[in-house]
Amino acid sequence: MEEALALCKQNIMGVGEADCLMAIGDVLWRLGDYPQTKAHYSLAAKLCREQQDRVGEAKAICGLSHVNLALGECYQSIEQVMEALTIYNEVSDSAGQASALRSLAKGYAAKGKLPTANKVAEQAKAISIECGDVLAAAQADVILSEILLDGGEWDAAIRLLLEVKEVFS
């Protein structure tokens, strides 16, 4: 992995160092090495900030928020997603906004704030539909179904998941 990062630093692969750091972070995430995942995403966010790559910075911050949510650091995760959402709003990146809102909904759900999580997931779905992104809208529906399950609304969750399934049939 570090060899790939060295190539990125030389810009041989046509992608930036921050992108490589995030890709390595993704691999480390899958391997369960959360401390190293956080380190790679933190460095990627710092590099993007220095290079004034606002979208890259927001993406790296969202990556950090996912790790913190997995570690049970829900409030930190929510704060990070809010920071990323602010950036996506500033640069008018609708797909980024929808992605950040989905992450925010997961954070609120993890804290047991189900009505807030539901509202945020609905916002993510609406933005995804406006953008014509069927997959992102379906991802928002999956989050909504998880919120329903957390609230004990089994039948409604199943109905929603069946609707999502139809999208991919």
Side-chain angles (χ1 to χ4, degrees):
M1 285 189 283
E2 296 307 319
E3 290 176 27
L5 182 57
L7 292 173
C8 288
K9 286 181 180 180
Q10 297 172 20
N11 205 20
I12 292 172
M13 296 172 57
V15 295
E17 184 178 357
D19 289 325
C20 285
L21 286 165
M22 287 186 269
I24 292 168
D26 288 343
V27 171
L28 292 166
W29 167 269
R30 287 175 176 85
L31 294 172
D33 189 346
Y34 299 142
Q36 280 300 309
T37 302
K38 284 178 79 166
H40 280 77
Y41 273 107
S42 293
L43 184 54
K46 180 180 181 263
L47 286 173
C48 289
R49 200 172 298 116
E50 290 170 358
Q51 297 167 358
Q52 298 179 347
D53 175 2
R54 301 290 283 157
V55 173
E57 180 183 0
K59 182 180 173 186
I61 292 169
C62 278
L64 275 172
S65 76
H66 294 156
V67 177
N68 285 322
L69 186 60
L71 293 172
E73 299 169 7
C74 298
Y75 287 115
Q76 186 174 5
S77 175
I78 289 169
E79 288 174 13
Q80 289 166 328
V81 174
M82 293 297 287
E83 181 182 356
L85 184 58
T86 297
I87 294 169
Y88 285 130
N89 287 335
E90 289 171 356
V91 299
S92 300
D93 182 336
S94 297
Q97 291 168 353
S99 177
L101 287 168
R102 288 191 307 272
S103 295
L104 186 58
K106 289 180 182 181
Y108 283 134
K111 288 307 298 171
K113 298 181 178 185
L114 300 183
T116 303
N118 190 74
K119 180 180 175 185
V120 171
E122 288 286 358
Q123 290 173 328
K125 181 179 177 179
I127 291 171
S128 298
I129 291 169
E130 283 177 24
C131 294
D133 191 338
V134 176
L135 177 59
Q139 290 170 333
D141 276 338
V142 170
I143 294 167
L144 285 164
S145 71
E146 291 170 355
I147 294 165
L148 289 167
L149 287 171
D150 289 345
E153 298 180 47
W154 308 102
D155 291 337
I158 290 170
R159 279 193 302 276
L160 184 55
L161 288 170
L162 289 171
E163 290 174 21
V164 171
K165 180 182 170 234
E166 289 299 315
V167 170
F168 298 104
S169 295

